[in-house]
Amino acid sequence: MLIDIHYCGVCHSDIHQARDEWGGALFPMVPGHEIVGRVAQAGGSVSRYKVGDAVGVGCFVDSCREWSWCRKGEEQYCDRGMNSTYNGRERNGQPTYGGYSTRITVDENYVLRIPESLPLDRAAPLLCAGITTYSPLKSYGLKAGDSLAIVGLGGLGHMGVKLGKALGAEVTVLSTSPSKEKDAKALGAAHFAATSNKDTFQKLARKFDFILDTVSAEHDYNAYLNLLKTDGTMILVGAPETPSKIGAFSLIGRRLKLGGSMIGGIRETQEMLDFCAKHNVASDVEVIPIQKINEAYERMLKGDVRYRFVIDLNSLKK
Ligand code: NAP
Ligand code: ZN
C-alpha cells in the first residue's frame, strides 16, 4: 500500500541512529518509525484496507514470516532478523527509508489500523513509544494493583505512565528533572521522586513490584534494583550506547529479575492501539515542522520534551 504520511513521531532511537551511536548505521538515512497517515493507493492483493483509511507503520516493515517468532506474531524477534523501517534493508537487500518523508510503501501485513477516535498526531508515538512500554508490562505480567516505577519521563516514559495507569498499576515516576513533577501527576502518576535527591533511594527501597527503565543515557542500574520488592522485576527498554555493570549481589539477595524488551509484534501493536482508543490514551505531543528537527534533537538530549515531538509532514510538502 502507498501511504501518504501525515505525521511522524521523533524517537530517541532516531538520534542514536542518525548519530551512529549504536554502530553500523547505513547512510544516507531517512529516520522515523512512528508513522501515521492515510492510504493513498492499494495494490490488487490488498484486502484489509482501502484508500483513505487511517493507518500506521512502526519499527519494522517486513520479517521472514516463516520461522517460530514470526509465526507467533512476534515479528520483532524474527529468527532471521526483522526488516527495520529505516537504517535497515528489505528482504531483497534494498535499503529502507523511514517516516521523515511524505510517502512510504508497505505490505498490508505490516500496517496497523489507527482507530478513528484517536487524533493522528497524538497517535503517531504509539507506534513505537506506546508499544515499547505496553508490550513488556503485559509480557512480564503486570497486574492491577501492582506498584510500578517508570524511570525517565520522556517519550517512552510518559506512555509508560499512561499505559501503566490504564492497566491498573500504581505508578511512580523516578526522574532527574524535579520540574516534571506536576506533569507526571497530570499524566496519571500517583507519586513522583527526584533521583537527584539521595534520600529518594533510601525512602523507596523495596517499594516496587516492577520498574520500567526508559533512560537513554548511561546510569547505575544497581541503584534502581534496590528499589524492588523481593521477586520484583526490572525491565530495560532504554538503550544507552555504553554497557553498564550489574552487581550479582544487586539481584541474588531478593531473587530479582532483570529483563529487556523490544517494541512489539503487529498483533500486539494493534491490540495496544485498540486499548488506547478504548481507554482514551494518546501521546502528549509538540507538533513541529521538519525544519525544526535539529532543534528538537538538541532539546530531547536535554530532557526538554513534553513529551514527544511529532513532525507534521505537510511542512515537507509545501
Ligand atoms: P527521550 O524522550 O529523550 O526520554 C529519555 C528520558 O530519559 C529523558 O527525558 C530523561 O527523563 C531521562 N534521561 C536522559 N538522560 C538521562 C541520564 N543521563 N540519566 C538519567 N535519566 C536520563 O527518549 P525516548 O524516545 O523515550 O527513548 C528512551 C530510550 O529508549 C532511548 O535509548 C531509545 O533508543 C530507547 N528505545 C528503545 C526501544 C525498545 O524497543 N526497547 C524502543 C524505542 C526507544 P527525566 O528528565 O525524567 O530524567
Ligand atoms: Zn522508537
Side-chain angles (χ1 to χ4, degrees):
M1 290 181 332
L2 179 66
I3 298 165
D4 183 19
I5 303 175
H6 291 206
Y7 296 100
C8 182
V10 181
C11 179
H12 207 112
S13 303
D14 299 348
I15 306 182
H16 290 308
Q17 293 176 87
R19 300 189 173 182
D20 198 12
E21 292 173 355
W22 292 339
L26 301 173
F27 293 101
M29 186 188 296
V30 179
H33 58 208
E34 292 183 339
I35 301 169
V36 294
R38 291 197 181 268
V39 178
Q41 280 177 42
S45 55
V46 171
S47 61
R48 295 204 300 275
Y49 298 96
K50 58 180 192 321
V51 170
D53 283 355
V55 291
V57 179
C59 297
F60 55 91
V61 288
D62 207 349
S63 63
C64 84
R65 309 182 188 205
E66 287 171 2
W67 287 14
S68 58
W69 289 99
C70 285
R71 285 208 310 269
K72 282 185 213 164
E74 299 219 74
E75 303 88 349
Q76 75 278 27
Y77 301 124
C78 173
D79 300 280
R80 285 184 253 176
M82 64 170 179
N83 301 85
S84 309
T85 302
Y86 71 88
N87 191 24
R89 292 189 184 279
E90 305 272 6
R91 300 216 85 73
N92 67 9
Q94 292 289 317
T96 51
Y97 299 109
Y100 297 10
S101 178
T102 53
R103 295 177 145 200
I104 190 167
T105 308
V106 184
D107 185 302
E108 71 168 332
N109 292 307
Y110 293 80
V111 170
L112 290 310
R113 183 176 296 284
I114 307 293
E116 286 294 342
S117 66
L118 293 176
L120 288 189
D121 52 350
R122 299 186 61 206
L126 302 177
L127 277 306
C128 175
I131 186 60
T132 299
T133 48
Y134 180 85
S135 180
L137 294 180
K138 297 284 284 196
S139 62
Y140 282 92
L142 179 91
K143 300 183 305 298
D146 283 346
S147 54
L148 164 69
I150 302 287
V151 188
L153 195 62
L156 266 56
H158 95 290
M159 287 314 308
V161 172
K162 289 184 184 226
L163 291 166
K165 167 115 195 267
L167 290 165
E170 178 175 322
V171 181
T172 300
V173 167
L174 303 176
S175 169
T176 60
S177 311
S179 60
K180 292 181 182 172
E181 175 162 7
K182 213 170 136 206
D183 290 352
K185 303 244 170 96
L187 291 164
H191 315 281
F192 177 93
T195 49
S196 49
N197 184 345
K198 288 287 164 250
D199 288 352
T200 292
F201 289 92
Q202 273 162 11
K203 262 198 233 149
L204 297 182
R206 301 177 176 224
K207 285 278 190 270
F208 301 109
D209 299 298
F210 289 90
I211 297 177
L212 183 66
D213 185 322
T214 75
V215 173
S216 50
E218 193 181 354
H219 57 294
D220 180 16
Y221 295 130
N222 302 287
Y224 292 92
L225 285 166
N226 217 24
L227 308 185
L228 285 173
K229 294 179 187 173
T230 299
D231 259 346
T233 304
M234 175 152 156
I235 311 155
L236 307 182
V237 288
E241 59 187 290
T242 40
S244 290
K245 282 193 176 163
I246 305 280
F249 283 103
S250 300
L251 295 167
I252 61 184
R254 289 194 317 291
R255 195 165 62 183
L256 301 183
K257 296 177 275 287
L258 176 64
S261 184
M262 185 171 66
I263 46 175
I266 294 294
R267 191 165 56 216
E268 194 176 38
T269 306
Q270 190 63 60
E271 175 190 308
M272 177 273 312
L273 287 165
D274 298 341
F275 177 90
C276 286
K278 187 167 166 211
H279 294 265
N280 213 2
V281 170
S283 182
D284 285 22
V285 302
E286 180 175 338
V287 177
I288 57 163
I290 189 79
Q291 292 78 5
K292 292 248 165 120
I293 189 66
N294 291 326
E295 202 181 300
Y297 278 15
E298 290 309 320
R299 283 182 52 196
M300 279 171 79
L301 289 167
K302 288 190 261 164
D304 174 21
V305 50
R306 283 176 167 67
Y307 275 89
R308 195 57 137 187
F309 290 111
V310 169
I311 305 165
D312 177 352
L313 271 316
N314 258 324
S315 60
L316 198 54
K317 293 169 193 164
K318 281 174 194 149

